[in-house]
Amino acid sequence: MIHVLVLGAAAGGGFPQWNSNSEACRRARAGDSAALPATQASIAVSADGARWFVINAAPDIREQINREKDLHPKTGLRSTPIAGIVLTNGDVDAVAGLLHLRERTPYVLYAHPRIFAVIDQNPIFQVLALGVVTRESLTLDRTVPLAGPGAVDSGLRITPFAVPGKVALYMEDESKGGDYGTETGDTIGLEITHAEGGGRLVFIGNCAAVDENVRARVAGADLVFFDGTLWRDDEMIKRREGVKTGQRMGHLSMAGENGVMQALRNQDIGRRVFIHINNTNPALVADSAERSEIEAEGWEVAFDGMRLEVP
Ligand code: MLT
Ligand code: MN
């Protein structure tokens, strides 16, 4: 059994976003039950409900931990049920939360070498004392146990795999052409299974295209979390809330010809859940026509505090 806890459902900026005066953000601030606030994307997984591994350290992680009893310290004066953090990219909304977890309680940080290199270029992350926060480099397509401090096997296995995406926004290099210096490993997806068998969870929080690799990974999965940043590729421009398309930001859209729903329509997937949903995406609002459309397609929209299980 894999226990899954959604810590945050929103994309970078969260919902409501600090500087957005959109109708949806105003509804969220007003306590509208169809526009529930959401923190930035992260999930936690556990085999036993006691030791947890957090996928991506959102800037909101402090609030997320405080909100979830399962993540509160249970023993001694200083401890945490969080045995490890797995990073799937180097974006601010995936790594900034590490700065909250700096008070010298051990956990293991799992990431691709490309992401460790980004962290090493930013001296502020030296606040994570090496030797306390230990590192496990992930190799694409190689399955490893999630173990945590002391190499105590949790029973969970992860397999990182390459996903079409983009280098972190603050690492973009215009001189390197159309992909801004993106390399394999900048964006990964994760397959999560249990050593004793059972179901398979696939987490793809950032994705620019459904290629054959992505398609093969999600096929037959019991639970898939998928990048739900935008409804349509040009929605931020059309709404005059931004200048970039989803593709420019490294994100596929939910709807339309080349959207996620269309791309995965005929896949055999148990439960399909959108996560990393931008505050401009109308499907984030529960009473929108777009939300109904998603649900009619068999998709769910993650929300903060959502609990799921993979048998
Ligand atoms: C993204 O998902 O595109 C990033 O989180 C953007 C950002 O860093 O704000
Ligand atoms: Mn993001």
Side-chain angles (χ1 to χ4, degrees):
M1 162 91 74
I2 308 172
H3 303 272
V4 185
L5 182 47
V6 175
L7 300 180
F15 182 58
Q17 181 172 299
W18 71 284
N19 62 346
S20 173
N21 196 27
S22 69
E23 190 197 346
C25 287
R26 279 188 271 118
R27 287 179 67 182
R29 287 188 195 102
D32 187 325
S33 61
L36 291 177
T39 59
Q40 291 161 91
S42 176
I43 67 167
V45 292
S46 175
D48 58 6
R51 298 175 72 224
W52 291 85
F53 294 83
V54 174
I55 315 300
N56 291 332
D60 310 301
I61 197 166
R62 185 181 166 280
E63 175 190 342
Q64 293 167 341
I65 291 170
N66 284 339
R67 202 181 52 210
E68 294 298 343
K69 268 204 186 93
D70 285 349
L71 303 184
H72 295 175
K74 303 283 189 302
T75 57
L77 267 180
R78 290 277 194 279
S79 68
T80 178
I82 298 173
I85 308 271
V86 189
L87 304 176
T88 67
N89 65 87
D91 278 331
V92 171
D93 59 349
V95 304
L98 292 174
L99 301 175
H100 283 298
L101 310 181
R102 65 185 181 279
E103 283 92 1
R104 301 193 67 85
T105 287
Y107 57 92
V108 176
L109 192 53
Y110 298 85
H112 188 274
R114 280 283 293 174
I115 304 308
F116 281 133
V118 170
I119 284 175
D120 287 336
Q121 281 183 52
N122 288 271
I124 195 169
F125 288 104
Q126 286 172 21
V127 75
L128 307 177
L130 284 171
V132 176
V133 179
T134 49
R135 293 180 176 196
E136 288 278 342
S137 263
L138 298 174
T139 304
L140 293 177
D141 305 316
R142 201 175 96 199
T143 305
V144 288
L146 283 176
V152 185
D153 191 349
S154 67
L156 297 178
R157 301 283 176 268
I158 56 167
T159 312
F161 57 91
V163 170
K166 186 184 66 58
V167 68
L169 178 61
Y170 56 90
M171 297 297 292
E172 286 184 6
D173 183 346
E174 299 270 347
S175 74
K176 293 200 169 148
D179 64 2
Y180 305 95
T182 301
E183 287 187 24
T184 304
D186 284 334
T187 307
I188 61 170
L190 299 171
E191 278 194 6
I192 306 174
T193 54
H194 199 292
E196 284 161 17
R200 180 162 54 95
L201 157 61
V202 176
F203 180 89
I204 302 176
N206 290 49
C207 183
V210 175
D211 62 8
E212 282 317 304
N213 190 28
V214 167
R215 201 180 293 283
R217 293 288 178 178
V218 299
D222 298 272
L223 172 60
V224 170
F225 284 96
F226 208 95
D227 181 347
T229 308
L230 299 181
W231 176 253
R232 292 228 181 249
D233 193 49
D234 61 356
E235 106 195 4
M236 303 215 322
I237 300 167
K238 277 222 170 103
R239 295 167 61 107
R240 290 183 291 133
E241 291 191 60
V243 294
K244 288 181 183 170
T245 61
Q247 281 296 295
R248 171 64 186 83
M249 297 188 296
H251 300 291
L252 203 54
S253 306
M254 291 180 173
E257 278 289 289
N258 299 310
V260 181
M261 290 194 290
Q262 169 118 334
L264 299 184
R265 187 164 286 153
N266 298 316
Q267 293 290 318
D268 167 31
I269 297 170
R271 270 177 92 170
R272 44 189 88 199
V273 182
F274 281 121
I275 195 164
H276 191 278
I277 304 145
N278 199 46
N279 58 83
T280 56
N281 185 334
L284 191 50
V285 178
D287 59 7
S288 65
E290 291 82 356
R291 175 68 71 90
S292 306
E293 211 177 299
I294 279 172
E295 289 173 351
E297 278 273 347
W299 283 85
E300 299 172 66
V301 172
F303 55 88
D304 288 30
M306 184 183 201
R307 280 173 184 267
L308 305 96
E309 277 170 1
V310 180

